[in-house]
Amino acid sequence: MRRHSEGLAIGVDIGGTCVKLGLVRGRRVLRQFSFETKKVPGKEKLIGAVSAGVRELLRGVPGPLRGVGVGIPGLVLYPEGVVRSCVNLPGWRNVPLRGILSKELRLPIRVDNDVNVMALAEWRLGAGRGAENLVCLTLGTGVGGAIIAEGRLVRGWLGSAGEIGHMPIAERGPRCSCGGTACLERTVGNREILRWVKGRLRAGVKSRMIGLIGGDLRQLTPEVIDRACEQSDPLARAAWSRVGSSVGLALVSVVNLLAPERIVVGGGIAKAGRWLFEPMRKTVKDRVMKGLKGVKVVPALLGTSAGLVGAALLLQEED
Ligand SMILES: [Zn+2]
C-alpha cells in the first residue's frame, strides 16, 4: 500500500491578494499557478475561477488524486466547509464552499481556515514535526494562530479557536476590527509596526532607515527595517524588540494555558529573524511558568508553500 504522504492532492490557498493552486505530493508542490484575487471580484467569480483552475491542474495528473483542500482567511465551520465570514473578502458570509465545490468538481473537498492549514503543514512536514502539542502563529498584516493539542487540530466553538492576534495585551488601547480593545494585532500587525517607526522618524529620531528610503516615509517596509537592523540601527532594532516583546507576552499566556512543547512562528514579519526571535524568546523564558521554560519558539520551515501543502494535507485528516 502507498504511504499516506505519497498521495497526490490539489491544494488551494485563497488569500486577500492572490489565489494559489497547486498539485501537491507530500511537501512538494509539483505544479502551481496563481491569479490576483481582485481580478475575480465577487464570490461567484472567485469560486468559478478556483473550479476552472482545479480542472486545469487535473489534466495529466500522474496517478490517483485524493481530492481538493482549500485554505481561506476566515472563520470556517469544519468539517461542513461553510465559510462564516472572511475579513479580506467582502460578501463572504455563510458560504457553503465545500458543498459548492463538491457539486462542481465531483471530488472529495475539504475547506479550513488558512492558519489551521499552515499549522497542519508545519506540524506534519515542517518545524512542528513530532510535537503532540503545538501552537502556530503567523505575523503579517494580521496576526493568526492555530492550536494542535494532544495530537489534533483544535478548531473550537464555531471554528473560532486560536485567534492569538485578538488576545488583549493591555487593559486599554486602540479598538480593533474584531470588536475588542488593545488586541495583540493592533500593536504588532504590519501596518502598526510601520506606523510606530514612522512616528519615531517624524519625531526626529536618527536612523539609517531615512537613508535607505531616500527620506520618503512611504517607502518604509518591514524589509527596510530588517536591512537597517543588519547595519546596527538602534531604532530598527527597537522596532523588532518591541514587536518581539509584545508577541512574547501574548505567548506567555498561550503557553501557560495550553502547554505546547513548541511554538512555530511564520508569516512575512517572521523574516526579521533573530532581531524578532531573541526578544520574543526572552520574554517567554522570563515570564512563563517555571515548569514550562523548556518550550521552544522556532521559525516556520515551509515558507509560502505551507498554504498549498497544508490544504492538500486536509485530505488526509479525519472528516
Ligand atoms: Zn481584535
Side-chain angles (χ1 to χ4, degrees):
M1 218 174 86
R2 271 166 172 260
R3 279 184 52 230
H4 264 212
S5 59
E6 287 168 5
L8 278 168
I10 287 175
V12 182
D13 180 0
I14 299 180
T17 313
C18 85
V19 178
K20 288 188 256 178
L21 295 99
L23 182 65
V24 180
R25 191 199 301 275
R27 60 182 276 182
R28 288 205 306 141
V29 180
L30 307 177
R31 272 195 283 140
Q32 69 167 308
F33 69 93
S34 60
F35 56 84
E36 280 179 62
T37 313
K38 65 170 187 243
K39 293 231 167 103
V40 283
K43 61 176 186 276
E44 282 80 16
K45 275 194 179 166
L46 201 157
I47 296 169
V50 167
S51 296
V54 169
R55 286 198 190 94
E56 187 65 36
L57 279 174
L58 283 172
R59 287 190 203 168
V61 167
L65 190 85
R66 288 176 177 279
V68 181
V70 183
I72 187 159
L75 295 176
V76 180
L77 292 180
Y78 191 92
E80 297 90 337
V82 174
V83 181
R84 290 177 55 225
S85 65
C86 210
V87 183
N88 299 321
L89 301 169
W92 283 70
R93 286 227 153 256
N94 299 318
V95 181
L97 188 57
R98 183 180 181 185
I100 297 171
L101 290 175
S102 303
K103 218 167 172 183
E104 285 195 19
L105 295 164
R106 307 209 164 278
L107 285 166
I109 307 286
R110 299 281 191 284
V111 180
D112 204 349
N113 166 270
D114 62 342
V115 186
N116 284 351
V117 158
M118 171 265 188
L120 197 56
E122 291 292 340
W123 177 36
R124 298 288 192 206
L125 302 165
R129 261 182 112 148
E132 285 281 290
N133 294 284
L134 181 74
V135 166
C136 283
L137 190 65
T138 56
L139 302 175
T141 309
V143 175
I147 301 162
I148 285 140
E150 297 176 355
R152 49 185 289 270
L153 194 53
V154 177
R155 295 180 172 92
W157 181 47
L158 302 175
S160 306
E163 292 290 350
I164 297 167
H166 297 288
M167 287 173 52
I169 54 164
E171 199 169 343
R172 291 191 183 81
R175 290 301 296 264
C176 178
S177 58
C178 76
T181 302
C183 292
L184 175 66
E185 188 172 296
R186 291 303 315 267
T187 300
V188 305
N190 204 340
R191 273 189 295 267
E192 282 66 28
I193 297 169
L194 297 180
R195 193 176 300 146
W196 185 85
V197 173
K198 284 176 189 172
R200 294 291 146 128
L201 293 173
R202 283 200 192 98
V205 175
K206 295 220 173 354
S207 164
R208 285 173 180 271
M209 287 185 272
I210 294 285
L212 290 170
I213 56 178
D216 181 0
L217 292 188
R218 285 169 305 178
Q219 306 298 322
L220 188 74
T221 60
E223 291 73 30
V224 172
I225 307 177
D226 289 350
R227 266 191 284 152
C229 268
E230 295 302 331
Q231 298 173 15
S232 310
D233 182 70
L235 179 61
R237 289 191 181 174
W240 289 141
S241 177
R242 176 176 169 270
V243 172
S245 306
S246 298
V247 174
L249 191 61
L251 289 178
V252 169
S253 298
V254 169
V255 172
N256 288 350
L257 181 71
L258 297 167
E261 59 186 284
R262 227 174 292 165
I263 294 167
V264 176
V265 185
I269 296 298
K271 288 185 191 141
R274 66 184 169 115
W275 310 114
L276 174 72
F277 276 81
E278 277 171 14
M280 193 157 59
R281 286 176 179 136
K282 187 176 184 314
T283 305
V284 170
K285 199 161 184 292
D286 287 351
R287 299 190 59 175
V288 85
M289 288 194 314
K290 266 186 216 152
L292 295 172
K293 290 194 190 290
V295 59
K296 298 271 185 298
V297 181
V298 299
L301 272 182
L302 300 179
T304 50
S305 70
L308 290 179
V309 170
L313 279 170
L314 284 172
L315 277 302
Q316 295 177 33
E317 290 289 289
E318 279 174 35
D319 204 358

